[in-house]
Amino acid sequence: MANVSHTRGDITGHPDVSEMRARYARMLGGRDVVLMDGPVFLLGLYCAVSPWILHYTTSQPALVTHNLIVGIAIGLLGLGFTAAPARMYGLSWAMSALGVWMIVSPWIVGDSPDTGVVLNNIIVGALAVILGLLCAVAAARSAPKA
């Protein structure tokens, strides 16, 4: 009868240890920025609900729709960074562009916005720019060298 009992031990004696380590490294794909996926999603979620948190749904109806759409877009980028990092980290520049748009949008989309609305969009936009640039730099650093 074969010995099928599981013994706890060191995996270094396994005959395929080098192949398993290489596969594990490929699956991780050099994910240096995995800690930014959550904050990007939370930033998008906050951006989407911020008109209701700051109560400017009646004074700035155009910005309500705008922040909802841009917040959903940022949140979807965060989910994409988590689900398919190899494909999505190239779009981190798009997140930076969304952040710049968030900074200037109160004056373009809004109708004489007050200080709270402007500050909210500037802070959300600045955080999106910073997170987008950090993701882009990390993706460029971990890209294969040609």
Side-chain angles (χ1 to χ4, degrees):
M1 215 175 221
N3 182 7
V4 292
S5 63
H6 296 284
T7 58
R8 302 239 175 212
D10 194 10
I11 196 167
T12 56
H14 194 281
D16 296 329
V17 70
S18 60
E19 181 184 340
M20 290 188 311
R21 284 185 179 150
R23 183 181 307 160
Y24 182 71
R26 274 193 321 269
M27 287 181 66
L28 281 181
R31 298 236 8 220
D32 307 13
V33 290
V34 72
L35 294 177
M36 285 186 241
D37 299 348
V40 168
F41 176 74
L42 291 176
L43 180 69
L45 183 66
Y46 172 76
C47 180
V49 299
S50 65
W52 291 276
I53 293 173
L54 298 176
H55 304 291
Y56 61 88
T57 55
T58 56
S59 66
Q60 298 290 330
L63 274 176
V64 170
T65 307
H66 170 269
N67 280 18
L68 179 65
I69 292 170
V70 173
I72 290 171
I74 292 174
L76 287 175
L77 279 173
L79 288 176
F81 291 159
T82 303
R87 295 180 186 168
M88 293 295 293
Y89 276 123
L91 290 176
S92 55
W93 292 105
M95 194 171 84
S96 296
L98 281 173
V100 170
W101 173 248
M102 280 296 294
I103 291 171
V104 299
S105 66
W107 297 282
I108 297 172
V109 177
D111 182 31
S112 62
D114 62 352
T115 307
V117 173
V118 171
L119 279 177
N120 177 62
N121 279 20
I122 288 175
I123 291 170
V124 168
L127 287 173
V129 167
I130 291 168
L131 287 173
L133 289 176
L134 287 174
C135 288
V137 166
R141 239 187 5 187
S142 66
K145 307 293 186 253

